[in-house]
């Protein structure tokens, strides 16, 4: 099979021919139909996340067709379409797993980081981390639901019930969250890189009430804000934009250092928190909700061999919606 492989952080991915993997007990072998490109893939490729394995195949928004079932797998059938996200393995036994917080599992493994991911013709995945996908989405359209959608949805839950919601960074995750939030009757305020008219126009098209630069302030204080852009300076900016008791959620896995800020902007019971990974419950809830909204994903399709080009465009902020690789 063809696979795009990361040999060392900072290096471009290299196209390799590899043996097609075999499913171990409890795993599914998937023929990859599409795999979206997430900012986390960029953090892995650039070495912002500590490298933990040589020669990893990135990609954790996998849409695949089941080619073979490993020993002991039930509840799936050959030919079925499933999705795999970032959470690739949990132990099921640690205190976090027992509390239903398997997103925080001490022994968790992540797709495209510790486990080979979907920038390849085939992938194996733990069947407990594979989810049937809603019909009505093409393979490429379904792929961004699996991280941008899932992490976005978990971030939205953590942001509470407030009506006035700010989204900082209007990329793949925000373009999905904006639609869910509008469906829930919220007013969405989109903050982009200052001067990024195209992203602001895109946000308005998706139903955002207001779109502007991250250096601007909306007319009303926000009830909550979610930061998807990996820029630490957005944390004090978002704290200044939320009302007393408001919530600021950091939705990304990596962020540049947060500059020091006066306590007064956190005072007034404002809450600052991060969101890590996702639970199976998040996946099941969101994949049922998406077709009801209905969430429409905007994708730019690239051939698997052009993964480096897709990553470069994401790094430069030149994508509208999500990049998706098709083998
Ligand atoms: Zn665990
Ligand atoms: Zn991701």
């Amino acid at each position: 099979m063809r696979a795009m492989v990361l040999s060392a952080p900072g290096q471009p991915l290299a196209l390799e021919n590899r043996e097609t993997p075999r499913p171990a007990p409890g795993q599914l072998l998937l023929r990859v139909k599409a795999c979206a490109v997430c900012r986390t893939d960029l953090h892995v490729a650039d070495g912002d996340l500590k490298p933990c394995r040589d020669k990893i195949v990135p990609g954790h928004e996998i849409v695949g067709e089941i080619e073979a079932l490993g020993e002991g797998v039930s509840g799936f059938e050959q030919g079925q379409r499933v999705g795999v996200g970032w959470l690739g393995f949990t132990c099921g036994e640690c205190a976090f797993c027992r509390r239903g917080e398997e997103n925080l599992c001490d022994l968790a493994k992540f797709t495209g980081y510790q486990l080979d991911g979907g920038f390849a013709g085939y992938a194996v995945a733990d069947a407990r981390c594979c989810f049937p996908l809603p019909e009505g989405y093409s393979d490429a359209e379904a792929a961004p639901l699996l991280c941008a959608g899932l992490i976005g949805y978990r971030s939205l839950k953590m942001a509470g019930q407030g009506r006035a919601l700010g989204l900082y960074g209007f990329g793949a995750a925000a373009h999905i969250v904006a639609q869910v939030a509008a469906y829930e009757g919220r007013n969405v305020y989109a903050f982009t890189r200052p001067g990024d008219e195209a992203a602001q126009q895109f946000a308005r098209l998706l139903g955002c009430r207001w779109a502007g630069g991250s250096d601007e302030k909306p007319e009303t204080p926000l009830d909550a804000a979610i930061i998807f852009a990996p820029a630490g300076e957005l944390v004090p900016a978002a704290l200044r934009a939320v009302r007393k008791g408001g919530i600021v959620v950091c939705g990304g896995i990596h962020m540049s250092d947060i500059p020091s800020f006066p306590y007064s902007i956190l005072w007034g019971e404002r809450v600052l928190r991060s969101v890590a990974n996702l639970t199976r419950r998040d996946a099941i809830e969101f994949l049922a909700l998406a077709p009801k909204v209905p969430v429409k994903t905007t994708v730019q399709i690239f051939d698997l061999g052009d993964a480096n080009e897709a990553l470069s465009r994401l790094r430069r902020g030149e994508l509208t919606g999500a990049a998706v690789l098709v083998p």
Side-chain angles (χ1 to χ4, degrees):
M1 68 171 190
R2 290 198 307 162
M4 294 300 288
V5 178
L6 178 69
S7 295
Q11 299 283 320
L13 306 183
L15 184 61
E16 286 186 6
N17 271 310
R18 283 192 166 187
E19 289 275 313
T20 301
R22 288 176 183 202
Q27 287 185 329
L28 298 173
L29 172 63
L30 306 176
R31 187 158 70 84
V32 178
K33 308 291 289 285
C35 186
V37 179
C38 170
R39 185 163 289 282
T40 301
D41 297 312
L42 204 52
H43 293 317
V44 171
D46 290 349
D48 295 326
L49 297 182
K50 193 166 67 74
C52 51
R53 236 197 64 192
D54 278 348
K55 293 245 165 195
I56 190 79
V57 177
H60 58 271
E61 302 184 84
I62 307 172
V63 174
E65 190 179 289
I66 299 177
E67 185 95 355
L69 291 77
E71 208 181 299
V73 175
S74 58
F76 292 98
E77 59 190 41
Q78 223 179 349
Q80 190 181 355
R81 184 171 82 148
V82 295
V84 185
W86 174 240
L87 190 73
F89 173 83
T90 56
C91 78
E93 288 166 13
C94 72
F96 295 107
C97 281
R98 278 181 309 197
R99 276 202 296 269
E101 297 173 349
E102 76 264 24
N103 58 314
L104 304 176
C105 173
D106 286 329
L107 298 172
K109 288 189 183 147
F110 301 103
T111 314
Y113 185 39
Q114 282 109 334
L115 308 166
D116 280 332
F119 291 4
Y122 291 84
V124 287
D126 190 316
R128 295 169 300 179
C129 298
C130 295
F131 303 95
L133 294 170
E135 288 169 21
Y137 288 91
S138 70
D139 297 325
E141 288 166 349
L145 300 177
L146 289 157
C147 188
L150 290 179
I151 300 277
Y153 174 69
R154 184 170 178 83
S155 302
L156 183 60
K157 286 205 295 189
M158 297 302 172
Q161 297 298 318
R163 274 182 71 88
L165 175 74
L167 300 177
Y168 285 79
F170 206 83
H175 101 285
I176 292 175
V177 171
Q179 297 172 60
V180 177
Y183 169 78
E184 292 175 341
R186 306 189 199 218
N187 298 326
V188 182
Y189 297 79
F191 298 82
T192 71
R193 294 181 205 215
D196 191 346
E197 293 290 340
Q200 291 166 17
Q201 181 64 22
F202 182 49
R204 286 184 208 106
L205 276 174
L206 289 174
C208 292
R209 185 190 186 97
W210 177 92
S214 55
D215 54 348
E216 295 175 55
K217 251 185 154 180
E219 78 271 21
T220 93
L222 302 173
D223 296 311
I226 306 173
I227 302 175
F228 290 117
E233 66 269 21
L234 293 175
V235 170
L239 282 170
R240 285 192 168 93
V242 298
R243 62 162 170 80
K244 283 183 283 187
I247 301 170
V248 174
V249 178
C250 299
I253 191 168
H254 170 82
M255 188 179 254
S256 58
D257 285 355
I258 301 169
S260 77
F261 55 82
Y263 179 58
S264 59
I265 65 173
L266 180 61
W267 167 250
E269 301 198 341
R270 290 175 182 85
V271 175
L272 175 61
R273 68 167 302 158
S274 65
V275 156
N277 317 316
L278 65 137
T279 63
R280 291 182 180 82
R281 196 174 144 189
D282 296 327
I284 291 161
E285 284 177 8
F286 175 69
L287 292 171
L289 176 64
K292 285 189 200 147
V293 171
V295 170
K296 291 205 167 69
T297 57
T298 300
V299 298
Q300 290 185 38
I301 295 174
F302 294 81
D303 180 75
L304 173 63
D306 295 329
N308 290 310
E309 175 62 19
L311 287 168
S312 299
R313 290 208 204 163
L314 177 59
R315 190 184 287 111
R316 295 197 299 261
E318 291 174 3
L319 292 165
T320 299
V324 177
L325 303 181
V326 175

